Structure formats: structure tokens, C-alpha cells
Amino acid sequence: AQSVTQLDSQVPVFEEAPVELRCNYSSSVSVYLFWYVQYPNQGLQLLLKYLSGSTLVKGINGFEAEFNKSQTSFHLRKPSVHISDTAEYFCAVSRVQGAQKLVFGQGTRLTINP
Amino acid sequence: DAGVIQSPRHEVTEMGQEVTLRCKPISGHNSLFWYRQTMMRGLELLIYFNNNVPIDDSGMPEDRFSAKMPNASFSTLKIQPSEPRDSAVYFCASRQQAQGAFFGQGTRLTVV
């Protein structure tokens, strides 16, 4: 079975500072990896995905993530955050072959301070 | 495409009543998921369908919960009878193979 661990439940940063949200996964088979963002009172929105190919993936709103197979990590980064990035961020994994369910981490609450 | 559509957006019901949540997935997507989100337990997968067939319902908490997908464009999640501990936000999501899932706006259920 697959599992996802988001290492930080909360991350406070100042506006215009860089941020990294950490995600580690566990799986015995090849996986796809995803990051989602959830703004208050809204559903989850896909930020970016790693399916194959280049390990550096760029997504919406200036976010990017790097897949590291040896460390089983998929950390999310942004070089300069904005107040509007305040939200909950979820890392997720699914198998490449077989069951299509997405397994989510517990989420990281990103708070941007002015 | 209008995205994944859930109804109602909010539901307040009394304990013991039947509750039905509805979902219309994105056309062409072959997988559909029902998730529940609470502060205590985070995002939990309740059940998912592939090509309208239930594949994994191990997350359904009790027999009071049931889900159906009669066709590719409609699914329901039913709770009968409802209890206060069922209060949560319920999300429906759909997905095409090898792509990310797209979520609806959710149904906020309050059982009093």
C-alpha cells in the first residue's frame, strides 16, 4: 500500500520569503505524485503533478516540486510567497498500474505573514 | 466543462434522518471518489469507483453509509440514519487514468 507523510503540519513564513513544504511517500511500486491546494471553504485544486520524465515539475501560481526517487520525496517550493498563498497544501500519491485511488497526506497549513 | 458538481453545498439535518449527497463527475473521467474531511481525521477516502463499479469501499465507516454510481455521469452517497459524528465536508472527485483528480466544491453536512 502507498502512504504519504507531510513532515510539517504548519509553516509560517513572511511575505516574499521562499518556502518549502516537505512530502515523503512510501510505495513498493511506481507512483504518480501530486500537490493540491485548498483555500478556505473550497475544494482541492491541483497545483502540479509528476507522472514521468523531468524530476522538476512546474505548476500554477509559481510553485514547483522536485521528485527524488532515492529519498522518496516530492517537496514543494516557491521562491517568493504572497499573502494569497495562505492555504492548506496536500501531497498525494497513486499507483501507476492498478488501483487508481489517491492517497493523501495530512496537509500542511501555510500561513503568510506581512 | 463545468468541473465536478456536487449538491447540495450545505445540508443541515436532524439525527436519524436520511441524507443523500449527489455528484456529477467530469465527462470522460473513468474514476470517481468520495472523500470526507474533518479537523480531527483530515481527508479520508470513503469509496471509489472505476468505470461505475465500486472498487474499494474499505473507507466507508459503517453500514449506515452507502454509495452508488448508476451511470458514468452521476453518483450518490447516502447516510441512513445520520448521526452528529457524521458532520463533515464531503467531497466528490473524478479522474482520468494517469491524471490528477478534480474535486467538487464539497457538501458541508451538519447533523444536529
Side-chain angles (χ1 to χ4, degrees):
Chain A
Q2 292 72 50
S3 67
V4 177
T5 302
Q6 291 185 241
L7 297 161
D8 306 294
S9 61
Q10 296 187 60
V11 173
V13 296
F14 288 106
E15 193 173 15
E16 298 183 6
V19 69
E20 178 180 83
L21 306 183
R22 297 180 293 169
C23 171
N24 284 92
Y25 70 94
S26 174
S27 177
S28 58
V29 298
S30 296
V31 295
Y32 298 133
L33 294 154
F34 308 87
W35 274 100
Y36 285 81
V37 60
Q38 185 180 30
Y39 300 105
N41 299 314
Q42 294 190 26
L44 279 72
Q45 179 182 359
L46 182 63
L47 262 183
L48 50 77
K49 59 190 177 188
Y50 172 78
L51 303 180
S52 64
S54 173
T55 57
L56 183 63
V57 179
K58 294 188 183 297
I60 62 172
N61 301 341
F63 284 93
E64 63 181 32
E66 186 156 20
F67 170 56
N68 188 320
K69 189 174 182 179
S70 63
Q71 297 187 9
T72 60
S73 69
F74 190 54
H75 301 333
L76 181 70
R77 301 186 183 100
K78 186 170 182 177
S80 176
V81 294
H82 189 266
I83 291 283
S84 60
D85 292 323
T86 296
E88 187 106 19
Y89 291 80
F90 293 90
C91 182
V93 63
S94 75
R95 296 166 60 117
V96 171
Q97 298 289 340
Q100 290 298 299
K101 67 179 181 180
L102 279 172
V103 176
F104 283 86
Q106 285 298 98
T108 298
R109 182 168 300 277
L110 177 63
T111 304
I112 311 299
N113 300 305
Chain B
D1 199 312
V4 176
I5 299 174
Q6 291 186 247
S7 64
R9 288 294 310 277
H10 302 273
E11 176 80 35
V12 180
T13 191
E14 291 185 348
M15 182 174 62
Q17 295 298 306
E18 178 180 294
V19 175
T20 299
L21 311 182
R22 296 173 175 79
C23 175
K24 176 180 168 53
I26 293 173
S27 177
H29 284 191
N30 59 358
S31 296
L32 182 140
F33 308 86
W34 282 101
Y35 287 90
R36 178 172 69 177
Q37 186 176 38
T38 61
M39 289 291 292
M40 291 295 292
R41 294 188 297 271
L43 199 60
E44 303 173 277
L45 176 64
L46 300 177
I47 185 171
Y48 86 96
F49 296 83
N50 199 49
N51 294 322
N52 312 339
V53 176
I55 302 299
D56 183 352
D57 65 354
S58 59
M60 298 285 261
E62 299 171 32
D63 291 344
R64 298 184 295 107
F65 286 70
S66 62
K68 293 182 180 180
M69 192 165 185
N71 56 62
S73 59
F74 184 65
S75 177
T76 59
L77 178 67
K78 185 178 294 186
I79 308 173
Q80 166 64 18
S82 57
E83 295 183 4
R85 60 194 168 118
D86 302 330
S87 298
V89 181
Y90 290 80
F91 287 105
C92 176
S94 69
R95 182 184 185 196
Q96 182 63 12
Q97 181 93 11
Q99 299 299 319
F102 290 83
F103 281 72
Q105 290 297 296
T107 295
R108 184 174 296 275
L109 174 64
T110 303
V111 183
V112 298

PDB file of all heavy atoms in Angstrom, chain B residues 1-33:
ATOM      1  N   ASP B   1     -15.850  22.510 -19.695  1.00  0.00           N
ATOM      2  CA  ASP B   1     -16.545  21.634 -18.749  1.00  0.00           C
ATOM      3  C   ASP B   1     -16.733  22.393 -17.445  1.00  0.00           C
ATOM      4  O   ASP B   1     -15.869  23.142 -17.023  1.00  0.00           O
ATOM      5  CB  ASP B   1     -15.708  20.370 -18.528  1.00  0.00           C
ATOM      6  CG  ASP B   1     -16.543  19.239 -17.946  1.00  0.00           C
ATOM      7  OD1 ASP B   1     -17.267  19.475 -16.969  1.00  0.00           O
ATOM      8  OD2 ASP B   1     -16.464  18.125 -18.474  1.00  0.00           O
ATOM      9  N   ALA B   2     -17.861  22.167 -16.768  1.00  0.00           N
ATOM     10  CA  ALA B   2     -18.152  22.897 -15.540  1.00  0.00           C
ATOM     11  C   ALA B   2     -17.412  22.334 -14.353  1.00  0.00           C
ATOM     12  O   ALA B   2     -17.516  22.859 -13.257  1.00  0.00           O
ATOM     13  CB  ALA B   2     -19.651  22.853 -15.271  1.00  0.00           C
ATOM     14  N   GLY B   3     -16.671  21.278 -14.514  1.00  0.00           N
ATOM     15  CA  GLY B   3     -15.991  20.665 -13.396  1.00  0.00           C
ATOM     16  C   GLY B   3     -16.890  19.667 -12.693  1.00  0.00           C
ATOM     17  O   GLY B   3     -18.000  19.359 -13.134  1.00  0.00           O
ATOM     18  N   VAL B   4     -16.432  19.179 -11.547  1.00  0.00           N
ATOM     19  CA  VAL B   4     -17.215  18.242 -10.742  1.00  0.00           C
ATOM     20  C   VAL B   4     -18.279  19.044  -9.987  1.00  0.00           C
ATOM     21  O   VAL B   4     -17.957  20.037  -9.331  1.00  0.00           O
ATOM     22  CB  VAL B   4     -16.315  17.485  -9.754  1.00  0.00           C
ATOM     23  CG1 VAL B   4     -17.158  16.581  -8.856  1.00  0.00           C
ATOM     24  CG2 VAL B   4     -15.258  16.678 -10.504  1.00  0.00           C
ATOM     25  N   ILE B   5     -19.504  18.610 -10.103  1.00  0.00           N
ATOM     26  CA  ILE B   5     -20.612  19.349  -9.488  1.00  0.00           C
ATOM     27  C   ILE B   5     -21.216  18.527  -8.362  1.00  0.00           C
ATOM     28  O   ILE B   5     -21.625  17.382  -8.564  1.00  0.00           O
ATOM     29  CB  ILE B   5     -21.692  19.679 -10.540  1.00  0.00           C
ATOM     30  CG1 ILE B   5     -21.083  20.549 -11.641  1.00  0.00           C
ATOM     31  CG2 ILE B   5     -22.874  20.402  -9.887  1.00  0.00           C
ATOM     32  CD1 ILE B   5     -22.005  20.804 -12.797  1.00  0.00           C
ATOM     33  N   GLN B   6     -21.258  19.142  -7.191  1.00  0.00           N
ATOM     34  CA  GLN B   6     -21.850  18.483  -6.029  1.00  0.00           C
ATOM     35  C   GLN B   6     -23.072  19.258  -5.563  1.00  0.00           C
ATOM     36  O   GLN B   6     -23.111  20.490  -5.627  1.00  0.00           O
ATOM     37  CB  GLN B   6     -20.851  18.413  -4.869  1.00  0.00           C
ATOM     38  CG  GLN B   6     -19.694  17.470  -5.117  1.00  0.00           C
ATOM     39  CD  GLN B   6     -18.819  17.320  -3.886  1.00  0.00           C
ATOM     40  OE1 GLN B   6     -17.662  17.746  -3.881  1.00  0.00           O
ATOM     41  NE2 GLN B   6     -19.365  16.698  -2.841  1.00  0.00           N
ATOM     42  N   SER B   7     -24.043  18.499  -5.046  1.00  0.00           N
ATOM     43  CA  SER B   7     -25.207  19.146  -4.443  1.00  0.00           C
ATOM     44  C   SER B   7     -25.709  18.300  -3.286  1.00  0.00           C
ATOM     45  O   SER B   7     -25.546  17.079  -3.285  1.00  0.00           O
ATOM     46  CB  SER B   7     -26.320  19.327  -5.491  1.00  0.00           C
ATOM     47  OG  SER B   7     -26.780  18.064  -5.950  1.00  0.00           O
ATOM     48  N   PRO B   8     -26.290  18.947  -2.267  1.00  0.00           N
ATOM     49  CA  PRO B   8     -26.294  20.387  -2.068  1.00  0.00           C
ATOM     50  C   PRO B   8     -24.937  20.882  -1.578  1.00  0.00           C
ATOM     51  O   PRO B   8     -24.080  20.076  -1.238  1.00  0.00           O
ATOM     52  CB  PRO B   8     -27.365  20.554  -0.978  1.00  0.00           C
ATOM     53  CG  PRO B   8     -27.245  19.303  -0.161  1.00  0.00           C
ATOM     54  CD  PRO B   8     -26.920  18.210  -1.147  1.00  0.00           C
ATOM     55  N   ARG B   9     -24.737  22.194  -1.487  1.00  0.00           N
ATOM     56  CA  ARG B   9     -23.495  22.733  -0.949  1.00  0.00           C
ATOM     57  C   ARG B   9     -23.506  22.677   0.572  1.00  0.00           C
ATOM     58  O   ARG B   9     -22.470  22.490   1.212  1.00  0.00           O
ATOM     59  CB  ARG B   9     -23.296  24.183  -1.392  1.00  0.00           C
ATOM     60  CG  ARG B   9     -22.939  24.351  -2.858  1.00  0.00           C
ATOM     61  CD  ARG B   9     -21.558  23.760  -3.199  1.00  0.00           C
ATOM     62  NE  ARG B   9     -20.496  24.199  -2.313  1.00  0.00           N
ATOM     63  CZ  ARG B   9     -19.837  25.330  -2.436  1.00  0.00           C
ATOM     64  NH1 ARG B   9     -20.109  26.159  -3.419  1.00  0.00           N
ATOM     65  NH2 ARG B   9     -18.863  25.654  -1.573  1.00  0.00           N
ATOM     66  N   HIS B  10     -24.690  22.844   1.135  1.00  0.00           N
ATOM     67  CA  HIS B  10     -24.838  22.777   2.583  1.00  0.00           C
ATOM     68  C   HIS B  10     -26.068  21.951   2.909  1.00  0.00           C
ATOM     69  O   HIS B  10     -27.079  22.021   2.202  1.00  0.00           O
ATOM     70  CB  HIS B  10     -25.002  24.180   3.196  1.00  0.00           C
ATOM     71  CG  HIS B  10     -23.874  25.101   2.890  1.00  0.00           C
ATOM     72  ND1 HIS B  10     -22.740  25.161   3.659  1.00  0.00           N
ATOM     73  CD2 HIS B  10     -23.698  25.994   1.889  1.00  0.00           C
ATOM     74  CE1 HIS B  10     -21.905  26.060   3.160  1.00  0.00           C
ATOM     75  NE2 HIS B  10     -22.460  26.575   2.091  1.00  0.00           N
ATOM     76  N   GLU B  11     -25.960  21.153   3.983  1.00  0.00           N
ATOM     77  CA  GLU B  11     -27.096  20.345   4.410  1.00  0.00           C
ATOM     78  C   GLU B  11     -27.108  20.305   5.931  1.00  0.00           C
ATOM     79  O   GLU B  11     -26.103  19.950   6.554  1.00  0.00           O
ATOM     80  CB  GLU B  11     -26.969  18.922   3.851  1.00  0.00           C
ATOM     81  CG  GLU B  11     -28.043  17.955   4.292  1.00  0.00           C
ATOM     82  CD  GLU B  11     -29.331  18.113   3.523  1.00  0.00           C
ATOM     83  OE1 GLU B  11     -29.257  18.416   2.324  1.00  0.00           O
ATOM     84  OE2 GLU B  11     -30.403  17.927   4.120  1.00  0.00           O
ATOM     85  N   VAL B  12     -28.226  20.693   6.493  1.00  0.00           N
ATOM     86  CA  VAL B  12     -28.417  20.586   7.937  1.00  0.00           C
ATOM     87  C   VAL B  12     -29.585  19.651   8.162  1.00  0.00           C
ATOM     88  O   VAL B  12     -30.665  19.857   7.601  1.00  0.00           O
ATOM     89  CB  VAL B  12     -28.698  21.953   8.580  1.00  0.00           C
ATOM     90  CG1 VAL B  12     -28.884  21.788  10.097  1.00  0.00           C
ATOM     91  CG2 VAL B  12     -27.572  22.933   8.296  1.00  0.00           C
ATOM     92  N   THR B  13     -29.383  18.626   8.965  1.00  0.00           N
ATOM     93  CA  THR B  13     -30.427  17.635   9.169  1.00  0.00           C
ATOM     94  C   THR B  13     -30.427  17.184  10.619  1.00  0.00           C
ATOM     95  O   THR B  13     -29.446  17.372  11.350  1.00  0.00           O
ATOM     96  CB  THR B  13     -30.225  16.428   8.242  1.00  0.00           C
ATOM     97  OG1 THR B  13     -31.377  15.593   8.281  1.00  0.00           O
ATOM     98  CG2 THR B  13     -29.011  15.608   8.654  1.00  0.00           C
ATOM     99  N   GLU B  14     -31.513  16.589  11.011  1.00  0.00           N
ATOM    100  CA  GLU B  14     -31.623  16.091  12.375  1.00  0.00           C
ATOM    101  C   GLU B  14     -31.123  14.650  12.460  1.00  0.00           C
ATOM    102  O   GLU B  14     -31.273  13.870  11.502  1.00  0.00           O
ATOM    103  CB  GLU B  14     -33.073  16.171  12.850  1.00  0.00           C
ATOM    104  CG  GLU B  14     -33.546  17.600  13.058  1.00  0.00           C
ATOM    105  CD  GLU B  14     -34.942  17.660  13.646  1.00  0.00           C
ATOM    106  OE1 GLU B  14     -35.621  16.605  13.678  1.00  0.00           O
ATOM    107  OE2 GLU B  14     -35.349  18.752  14.083  1.00  0.00           O
ATOM    108  N   MET B  15     -30.579  14.330  13.588  1.00  0.00           N
ATOM    109  CA  MET B  15     -30.107  12.973  13.825  1.00  0.00           C
ATOM    110  C   MET B  15     -31.212  11.961  13.505  1.00  0.00           C
ATOM    111  O   MET B  15     -32.376  12.175  13.864  1.00  0.00           O
ATOM    112  CB  MET B  15     -29.682  12.847  15.287  1.00  0.00           C
ATOM    113  CG  MET B  15     -29.123  11.504  15.668  1.00  0.00           C
ATOM    114  SD  MET B  15     -28.492  11.503  17.360  1.00  0.00           S
ATOM    115  CE  MET B  15     -29.969  11.852  18.285  1.00  0.00           C
ATOM    116  N   GLY B  16     -30.840  10.904  12.812  1.00  0.00           N
ATOM    117  CA  GLY B  16     -31.791   9.862  12.465  1.00  0.00           C
ATOM    118  C   GLY B  16     -32.373   9.994  11.070  1.00  0.00           C
ATOM    119  O   GLY B  16     -32.952   9.042  10.539  1.00  0.00           O
ATOM    120  N   GLN B  17     -32.220  11.160  10.480  1.00  0.00           N
ATOM    121  CA  GLN B  17     -32.751  11.378   9.140  1.00  0.00           C
ATOM    122  C   GLN B  17     -31.802  10.812   8.084  1.00  0.00           C
ATOM    123  O   GLN B  17     -30.608  10.640   8.301  1.00  0.00           O
ATOM    124  CB  GLN B  17     -32.955  12.873   8.888  1.00  0.00           C
ATOM    125  CG  GLN B  17     -34.004  13.507   9.786  1.00  0.00           C
ATOM    126  CD  GLN B  17     -35.375  12.913   9.578  1.00  0.00           C
ATOM    127  OE1 GLN B  17     -35.885  12.866   8.455  1.00  0.00           O
ATOM    128  NE2 GLN B  17     -35.995  12.439  10.649  1.00  0.00           N
ATOM    129  N   GLU B  18     -32.379  10.550   6.921  1.00  0.00           N
ATOM    130  CA  GLU B  18     -31.587  10.107   5.774  1.00  0.00           C
ATOM    131  C   GLU B  18     -31.025  11.311   5.037  1.00  0.00           C
ATOM    132  O   GLU B  18     -31.716  12.310   4.847  1.00  0.00           O
ATOM    133  CB  GLU B  18     -32.464   9.277   4.836  1.00  0.00           C
ATOM    134  CG  GLU B  18     -31.750   8.814   3.574  1.00  0.00           C
ATOM    135  CD  GLU B  18     -32.664   8.006   2.675  1.00  0.00           C
ATOM    136  OE1 GLU B  18     -33.075   6.909   3.067  1.00  0.00           O
ATOM    137  OE2 GLU B  18     -32.971   8.497   1.548  1.00  0.00           O
ATOM    138  N   VAL B  19     -29.775  11.181   4.631  1.00  0.00           N
ATOM    139  CA  VAL B  19     -29.112  12.253   3.884  1.00  0.00           C
ATOM    140  C   VAL B  19     -28.575  11.675   2.577  1.00  0.00           C
ATOM    141  O   VAL B  19     -27.955  10.599   2.586  1.00  0.00           O
ATOM    142  CB  VAL B  19     -27.938  12.842   4.688  1.00  0.00           C
ATOM    143  CG1 VAL B  19     -27.192  13.866   3.857  1.00  0.00           C
ATOM    144  CG2 VAL B  19     -28.434  13.458   5.979  1.00  0.00           C
ATOM    145  N   THR B  20     -28.798  12.374   1.486  1.00  0.00           N
ATOM    146  CA  THR B  20     -28.271  11.944   0.188  1.00  0.00           C
ATOM    147  C   THR B  20     -27.456  13.066  -0.429  1.00  0.00           C
ATOM    148  O   THR B  20     -27.966  14.164  -0.639  1.00  0.00           O
ATOM    149  CB  THR B  20     -29.391  11.533  -0.772  1.00  0.00           C
ATOM    150  OG1 THR B  20     -30.122  10.432  -0.199  1.00  0.00           O
ATOM    151  CG2 THR B  20     -28.805  11.086  -2.102  1.00  0.00           C
ATOM    152  N   LEU B  21     -26.202  12.769  -0.717  1.00  0.00           N
ATOM    153  CA  LEU B  21     -25.303  13.712  -1.361  1.00  0.00           C
ATOM    154  C   LEU B  21     -25.125  13.273  -2.808  1.00  0.00           C
ATOM    155  O   LEU B  21     -25.045  12.073  -3.097  1.00  0.00           O
ATOM    156  CB  LEU B  21     -23.942  13.735  -0.654  1.00  0.00           C
ATOM    157  CG  LEU B  21     -23.983  13.884   0.879  1.00  0.00           C
ATOM    158  CD1 LEU B  21     -22.572  13.937   1.435  1.00  0.00           C
ATOM    159  CD2 LEU B  21     -24.790  15.088   1.299  1.00  0.00           C
ATOM    160  N   ARG B  22     -25.045  14.263  -3.698  1.00  0.00           N
ATOM    161  CA  ARG B  22     -25.018  13.958  -5.123  1.00  0.00           C
ATOM    162  C   ARG B  22     -23.769  14.512  -5.792  1.00  0.00           C
ATOM    163  O   ARG B  22     -23.220  15.532  -5.357  1.00  0.00           O
ATOM    164  CB  ARG B  22     -26.259  14.528  -5.789  1.00  0.00           C
ATOM    165  CG  ARG B  22     -27.548  13.900  -5.288  1.00  0.00           C
ATOM    166  CD  ARG B  22     -28.781  14.580  -5.820  1.00  0.00           C
ATOM    167  NE  ARG B  22     -30.008  13.892  -5.414  1.00  0.00           N
ATOM    168  CZ  ARG B  22     -30.571  13.993  -4.223  1.00  0.00           C
ATOM    169  NH1 ARG B  22     -30.029  14.770  -3.306  1.00  0.00           N
ATOM    170  NH2 ARG B  22     -31.662  13.325  -3.950  1.00  0.00           N
ATOM    171  N   CYS B  23     -23.365  13.819  -6.861  1.00  0.00           N
ATOM    172  CA  CYS B  23     -22.149  14.221  -7.561  1.00  0.00           C
ATOM    173  C   CYS B  23     -22.279  13.938  -9.048  1.00  0.00           C
ATOM    174  O   CYS B  23     -22.704  12.848  -9.461  1.00  0.00           O
ATOM    175  CB  CYS B  23     -20.941  13.470  -7.005  1.00  0.00           C
ATOM    176  SG  CYS B  23     -19.402  13.780  -7.886  1.00  0.00           S
ATOM    177  N   LYS B  24     -21.879  14.934  -9.837  1.00  0.00           N
ATOM    178  CA  LYS B  24     -21.781  14.755 -11.283  1.00  0.00           C
ATOM    179  C   LYS B  24     -20.315  14.910 -11.647  1.00  0.00           C
ATOM    180  O   LYS B  24     -19.758  16.001 -11.528  1.00  0.00           O
ATOM    181  CB  LYS B  24     -22.626  15.784 -12.012  1.00  0.00           C
ATOM    182  CG  LYS B  24     -22.509  15.738 -13.524  1.00  0.00           C
ATOM    183  CD  LYS B  24     -23.396  16.792 -14.166  1.00  0.00           C
ATOM    184  CE  LYS B  24     -23.103  16.976 -15.645  1.00  0.00           C
ATOM    185  NZ  LYS B  24     -23.134  15.727 -16.407  1.00  0.00           N
ATOM    186  N   PRO B  25     -19.654  13.842 -12.096  1.00  0.00           N
ATOM    187  CA  PRO B  25     -18.232  13.945 -12.413  1.00  0.00           C
ATOM    188  C   PRO B  25     -17.994  14.640 -13.749  1.00  0.00           C
ATOM    189  O   PRO B  25     -18.940  14.923 -14.486  1.00  0.00           O
ATOM    190  CB  PRO B  25     -17.798  12.474 -12.492  1.00  0.00           C
ATOM    191  CG  PRO B  25     -19.032  11.757 -12.944  1.00  0.00           C
ATOM    192  CD  PRO B  25     -20.179  12.493 -12.305  1.00  0.00           C
ATOM    193  N   ILE B  26     -16.744  14.895 -14.048  1.00  0.00           N
ATOM    194  CA  ILE B  26     -16.376  15.480 -15.333  1.00  0.00           C
ATOM    195  C   ILE B  26     -16.551  14.421 -16.422  1.00  0.00           C
ATOM    196  O   ILE B  26     -16.155  13.257 -16.246  1.00  0.00           O
ATOM    197  CB  ILE B  26     -14.921  15.982 -15.299  1.00  0.00           C
ATOM    198  CG1 ILE B  26     -14.813  17.180 -14.333  1.00  0.00           C
ATOM    199  CG2 ILE B  26     -14.438  16.373 -16.679  1.00  0.00           C
ATOM    200  CD1 ILE B  26     -13.408  17.663 -14.095  1.00  0.00           C
ATOM    201  N   SER B  27     -17.159  14.831 -17.508  1.00  0.00           N
ATOM    202  CA  SER B  27     -17.414  13.912 -18.606  1.00  0.00           C
ATOM    203  C   SER B  27     -16.111  13.311 -19.123  1.00  0.00           C
ATOM    204  O   SER B  27     -15.134  14.032 -19.352  1.00  0.00           O
ATOM    205  CB  SER B  27     -18.124  14.677 -19.746  1.00  0.00           C
ATOM    206  OG  SER B  27     -18.317  13.837 -20.856  1.00  0.00           O
ATOM    207  N   GLY B  28     -16.126  11.978 -19.296  1.00  0.00           N
ATOM    208  CA  GLY B  28     -14.937  11.308 -19.804  1.00  0.00           C
ATOM    209  C   GLY B  28     -14.025  10.740 -18.740  1.00  0.00           C
ATOM    210  O   GLY B  28     -13.128   9.939 -19.041  1.00  0.00           O
ATOM    211  N   HIS B  29     -14.218  11.177 -17.495  1.00  0.00           N
ATOM    212  CA  HIS B  29     -13.402  10.629 -16.403  1.00  0.00           C
ATOM    213  C   HIS B  29     -13.933   9.252 -16.025  1.00  0.00           C
ATOM    214  O   HIS B  29     -15.138   9.052 -15.916  1.00  0.00           O
ATOM    215  CB  HIS B  29     -13.436  11.560 -15.200  1.00  0.00           C
ATOM    216  CG  HIS B  29     -12.584  12.772 -15.371  1.00  0.00           C
ATOM    217  ND1 HIS B  29     -12.290  13.635 -14.325  1.00  0.00           N
ATOM    218  CD2 HIS B  29     -11.950  13.278 -16.447  1.00  0.00           C
ATOM    219  CE1 HIS B  29     -11.500  14.597 -14.752  1.00  0.00           C
ATOM    220  NE2 HIS B  29     -11.281  14.407 -16.053  1.00  0.00           N
ATOM    221  N   ASN B  30     -13.017   8.301 -15.790  1.00  0.00           N
ATOM    222  CA  ASN B  30     -13.473   6.949 -15.532  1.00  0.00           C
ATOM    223  C   ASN B  30     -13.377   6.530 -14.067  1.00  0.00           C
ATOM    224  O   ASN B  30     -13.781   5.416 -13.712  1.00  0.00           O
ATOM    225  CB  ASN B  30     -12.709   5.941 -16.412  1.00  0.00           C
ATOM    226  CG  ASN B  30     -11.217   5.986 -16.168  1.00  0.00           C
ATOM    227  OD1 ASN B  30     -10.725   6.780 -15.375  1.00  0.00           O
ATOM    228  ND2 ASN B  30     -10.495   5.121 -16.843  1.00  0.00           N
ATOM    229  N   SER B  31     -12.835   7.385 -13.208  1.00  0.00           N
ATOM    230  CA  SER B  31     -12.785   7.073 -11.776  1.00  0.00           C
ATOM    231  C   SER B  31     -13.495   8.170 -10.992  1.00  0.00           C
ATOM    232  O   SER B  31     -13.376   9.353 -11.317  1.00  0.00           O
ATOM    233  CB  SER B  31     -11.339   6.959 -11.287  1.00  0.00           C
ATOM    234  OG  SER B  31     -10.671   5.876 -11.899  1.00  0.00           O
ATOM    235  N   LEU B  32     -14.207   7.739  -9.941  1.00  0.00           N
ATOM    236  CA  LEU B  32     -14.907   8.697  -9.086  1.00  0.00           C
ATOM    237  C   LEU B  32     -14.637   8.331  -7.640  1.00  0.00           C
ATOM    238  O   LEU B  32     -14.635   7.143  -7.278  1.00  0.00           O
ATOM    239  CB  LEU B  32     -16.420   8.677  -9.360  1.00  0.00           C
ATOM    240  CG  LEU B  32     -17.256   9.682  -8.558  1.00  0.00           C
ATOM    241  CD1 LEU B  32     -18.339  10.306  -9.425  1.00  0.00           C
ATOM    242  CD2 LEU B  32     -17.841   9.076  -7.315  1.00  0.00           C
ATOM    243  N   PHE B  33     -14.400   9.368  -6.831  1.00  0.00           N
ATOM    244  CA  PHE B  33     -14.016   9.174  -5.434  1.00  0.00           C
ATOM    245  C   PHE B  33     -14.951   9.981  -4.533  1.00  0.00           C
ATOM    246  O   PHE B  33     -15.345  11.093  -4.872  1.00  0.00           O
ATOM    247  CB  PHE B  33     -12.591   9.675  -5.198  1.00  0.00           C
ATOM    248  CG  PHE B  33     -11.570   9.122  -6.159  1.00  0.00           C
ATOM    249  CD1 PHE B  33     -11.352   9.731  -7.384  1.00  0.00           C
ATOM    250  CD2 PHE B  33     -10.817   8.014  -5.836  1.00  0.00           C
ATOM    251  CE1 PHE B  33     -10.418   9.240  -8.275  1.00  0.00           C
ATOM    252  CE2 PHE B  33      -9.879   7.512  -6.720  1.00  0.00           C
ATOM    253  CZ  PHE B  33      -9.682   8.131  -7.945  1.00  0.00           C
TER     254      PHE B  33
END
